[in-house]
Amino acid sequence: MAESRTQAVYDDKIAADAEFNESLATTDKWADRAIDMGLSRFPVAGDAVGMIIGDIKEVDVDHYTRDSSDEAGQERSDFLERQRANSADAIYDATYQRAIAAGVDHENASSQADAAARHVKEGYAMGRQRAGS
């Protein structure tokens, strides 16, 4: 479940980047048209100025283009690691408390709780492996 939730958050960030980048490209296209119309009045100098402006715009567009995939991937990994640790801690505590309540001595209760927590961690690892993350 945690894997699915983080994948959805990751996908949303990437989709938001794509939408922003598309909007940026559209704005750039309209700016090109406006610049071309203005420079068409100055045939010789306009070509040189147009090339310079084109280079400047390209740098600006590259600078403002978004790619959150690395950041989103790290957030996703951090979240899953916290979920794994929290789930393992919770199952440890629950198993230990139930074992003690059932009359199991501390050493055996702790051993059972450790085994349960280890299974949770392994379950998270298998889930991530199957999900390809």
Side-chain angles (χ1 to χ4, degrees):
M1 287 174 44
E3 181 70 35
S4 295
R5 185 176 352 163
T6 59
Q7 184 64 43
V9 170
Y10 179 85
D11 290 346
D12 285 347
K13 282 191 176 222
I14 300 307
D17 283 353
E19 184 178 334
F20 176 84
N21 293 340
E22 185 177 324
S23 176
L24 186 63
T26 300
T27 301
D28 182 53
K29 180 173 66 174
W30 283 104
D32 276 344
R33 289 178 182 163
I35 290 168
D36 286 346
M37 284 176 33
L39 293 178
S40 66
R41 297 179 183 163
F42 310 101
V44 176
D47 290 341
V49 171
M51 289 176 15
I52 293 169
I53 290 174
D55 290 345
I56 292 169
K57 281 187 350 45
E58 183 178 339
V59 169
D60 277 348
V61 169
D62 287 346
H63 174 74
Y64 288 107
T65 298
R66 291 184 186 170
D67 182 3
S68 299
S69 58
D70 289 342
E71 177 186 334
Q74 185 61 49
E75 286 177 19
R76 179 176 184 226
S77 181
D78 293 347
F79 174 81
L80 287 171
E81 181 57 31
R82 284 191 308 276
Q83 287 294 107
R84 182 193 67 82
N86 291 341
S87 295
D89 290 347
I91 202 71
Y92 178 93
D93 291 342
T95 303
Y96 180 82
Q97 294 302 322
R98 294 294 295 223
I100 293 296
V104 176
D105 64 274
H106 165 71
E107 187 175 323
N108 284 324
S110 181
S111 177
Q112 290 175 13
D114 282 336
R118 188 172 42 257
H119 285 295
V120 168
K121 290 176 182 177
E122 290 169 358
Y124 264 86
M126 288 188 321
R128 291 188 77 178
Q129 184 179 25
R130 287 182 180 159
S133 63

